[in-house]
């Protein structure tokens, strides 16, 4: 494995401003969408479980708790990591800059026109299905194997990068 240098520097005022905006948007989405949805789903699961206590279970009494468990496992991968990062947004002052080389890039397309990329560097793997780039300076479609890139990230944040740019830009 190649060695790579990690440079630590201060966040720019634009990056801090954008991170505050993302913080506010996620809190708003949580309060207006996720919290009411979780409350409603919790009530439905409660009713399904109570049908066992009452002695009159039906097919939904089995299906609803199983579907809820599946939803929780999906949320653990696609929703929870971004809310865990909120504490990092509030107090972030520094970022790490990593220079890397694109070793391989693969593209996956879906029927709805969604294109996902998996980028492998000596630093690690970036999957656009899971990882988020807040400042998209360089599109994944513009990257090529062997290309030198610069990855900006806040220490301690998982699944989120501040920016990816071409080296020299």
């Amino acid at each position: 494995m190649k060695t790579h240098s990690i440079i630590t520097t201060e966040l720019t005022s634009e990056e801090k401003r954008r991170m505050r905006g993302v913080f506010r948007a996620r809190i708003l989405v949580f309060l207006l969408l996720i919290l009411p949805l979780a409350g409603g789903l919790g009530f439905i699961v409660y009713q399904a479980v109570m049908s066992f206590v009452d002695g009159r279970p039906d097919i939904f009494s089995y299906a609803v708790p199983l579907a809820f468990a599946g939803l929780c496992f999906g949320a653990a991968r696609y929703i929870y990591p971004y809310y865990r990062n909120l504490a990092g947004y509030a107090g972030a002052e520094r970022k790490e800059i990593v220079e890397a080389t694109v070793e391989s890039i693969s593209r996956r397309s879906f029927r709805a026109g969604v294109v996902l990329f998996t980028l492998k560097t000596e630093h690690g793997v970036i999957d656009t299905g899971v990882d988020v780039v807040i400042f998209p300076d360089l599109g994944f479609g513009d990257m090529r194997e062997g290309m030198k890139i610069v990855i900006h990230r806040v220490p301690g944040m998982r699944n989120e990068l501040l920016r990816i740019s071409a080296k020299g830009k």
Side-chain angles (χ1 to χ4, degrees):
M1 177 177 267
K2 297 178 184 176
T3 61
H4 50 274
S5 63
I6 299 175
I7 300 167
T8 303
T9 184
E10 297 291 322
L11 288 168
T12 65
S13 60
E14 176 65 18
E15 289 168 337
K16 288 180 183 179
R17 186 186 66 74
R18 178 67 79 70
M19 288 176 65
R20 281 192 304 269
V22 170
F23 177 83
R24 289 182 192 120
R26 287 188 185 165
I27 292 295
L28 191 64
V29 166
F30 180 78
L31 293 174
L32 296 178
L33 184 68
I34 295 175
L35 195 60
L37 182 64
L41 287 174
F43 179 74
I44 292 169
V45 170
Y46 171 77
Q47 292 295 325
V49 171
M50 288 308 293
S51 68
F52 287 107
V53 174
D54 294 341
R56 27 180 200 94
D58 58 0
I59 188 72
F60 293 110
S61 301
Y62 296 98
V64 168
L66 288 174
F68 183 72
L71 182 67
C72 288
F73 284 121
R77 178 175 174 141
Y78 296 106
I79 296 174
Y80 299 151
Y82 307 107
Y83 280 93
R84 274 187 291 236
N85 289 341
L86 284 182
Y89 281 174
E93 293 292 326
R94 304 185 70 72
K95 68 179 177 180
E96 296 176 344
I97 301 173
V98 180
E99 293 182 8
T101 303
V102 177
E103 293 176 353
S104 68
I105 188 163
S106 62
R107 177 181 172 164
R108 305 182 311 266
S109 298
F110 293 98
R111 190 179 299 171
V114 176
V115 179
L116 299 177
F117 292 91
T118 303
L119 178 74
K120 184 178 178 192
T121 69
E122 71 268 14
H123 174 67
V125 176
I126 300 169
D127 183 358
T128 60
V130 178
D131 299 318
V132 174
V133 179
I134 297 173
F135 291 94
D137 294 338
L138 177 66
F140 285 92
D142 298 331
M143 294 183 196
R144 302 289 174 252
E145 290 183 16
M147 183 178 195
K148 302 280 186 190
I149 59 172
V150 180
I151 302 169
H152 301 247
R153 65 180 186 195
V154 175
M157 283 195 192
R158 294 179 49 206
N159 302 100
E160 293 191 69
L161 303 170
L162 285 175
R163 66 176 22 133
I164 298 177
S165 56
K167 186 172 179 179
K169 290 190 178 188

